Amino acid sequence: FEAFCLKFDVSPRETDIIREICNGLSNKEIADRLFISLQTVKDHTHRIYIKTNVRSRVQLINLVKEEGNLSSKNF
């Protein structure tokens, strides 16, 4: 997972967001868990999508799994 984050130049906070997305949390749940606003989660998610060239949570999760050859339990 760290190699994925390095490859796509993901910030530490974006890493937290990706981890929670891969764990199946909604934006609201992520905001609550990380003590940030819902808009901040949306902003980070948008930047993650741009960096990784994906358009959805499903594509992001699949990319993380493909790049790291990981199962969801690694998050």
Side-chain angles (χ1 to χ4, degrees), residues 4-61:
F4 170 87
C5 294
L6 286 172
K7 177 179 179 177
F8 290 101
D9 194 29
V10 175
S11 73
R13 188 48 125 184
E14 291 168 346
T15 299
D16 296 338
I17 303 287
I18 293 170
R19 185 174 285 113
E20 300 303 348
I21 288 172
C22 290
N23 285 330
L25 273 62
S26 69
N27 284 351
K28 175 75 170 106
E29 292 169 325
I30 294 169
D32 292 344
R33 181 171 285 187
L34 298 180
F35 305 103
I36 58 178
S37 74
L38 180 58
Q39 187 59 52
T40 300
V41 174
K42 290 177 182 179
D43 292 344
H44 281 305
T45 302
H46 179 72
R47 282 192 293 277
I48 291 164
Y49 287 3
I50 291 170
K51 288 180 179 184
T52 57
N53 197 30
V54 300
R55 293 183 175 199
S56 71
R57 295 167 97 82
V58 172
Q59 285 182 336
L60 178 63
I61 292 166

